Amino acid sequence: NDVSTARRRAFKMNLDAVPKSRVMLSIQCKGLANKDTFSKSDPCCILQLKASNGLWNEVGRTEVVQNNLNPKFKTKIETDFTFEKKQDLKFIL
């Protein structure tokens, strides 16, 4: 029966599906090293996610905050959060 086969496939797909949510990350830093010569550093944060092939992919980036070693970035980065699965994130400043 085509209907029962379709129901079994849909049920199996639901069992295989991993719960996932969209999350919004707010980023702030404290006590960053001053890397500029004549003023304070101008930090920006780049978020990368490690893919299954081992390569890092950019998820998003914040704005640049001028002359600040304790930035509280206004830009929020939205990404997927997969439950019960390891997700490697890298924050680059």
Side-chain angles (χ1 to χ4, degrees):
N1 181 330
D2 289 337
V3 174
S4 61
T5 301
R7 283 185 186 152
R8 274 185 265 143
R9 279 191 195 136
F11 180 73
K12 183 176 179 347
M13 286 173 52
N14 285 337
L15 289 178
D16 293 339
V18 177
K20 191 183 281 194
S21 290
R22 292 292 286 173
V23 294
M24 191 74 75
L25 302 175
S26 299
I27 302 167
Q28 70 179 49
C29 305
K30 293 184 181 178
L32 294 177
N34 189 11
K35 298 291 186 173
D36 284 1
T37 304
F38 300 108
S39 64
K40 292 181 182 166
S41 293
D42 305 325
C44 167
C45 183
I46 300 167
L47 176 62
Q48 294 183 339
L49 175 66
K50 193 173 191 180
S52 57
N53 63 5
L55 298 177
W56 291 93
N57 298 314
E58 183 173 323
V59 175
R61 64 177 60 212
T62 66
E63 76 281 5
V64 174
V65 178
Q66 299 291 319
N67 298 316
N68 195 329
L69 302 180
N70 302 295
K72 185 172 183 180
F73 298 103
K74 292 180 183 176
T75 304
K76 295 178 181 359
I77 300 175
E78 188 174 357
T79 187
D80 285 329
F81 173 76
T82 307
F83 294 90
E84 298 184 16
K85 179 182 174 191
K86 180 181 174 187
Q87 294 174 276
D88 293 322
L89 297 174
K90 187 188 314 185
F91 294 84
I92 303 169
L93 295 167

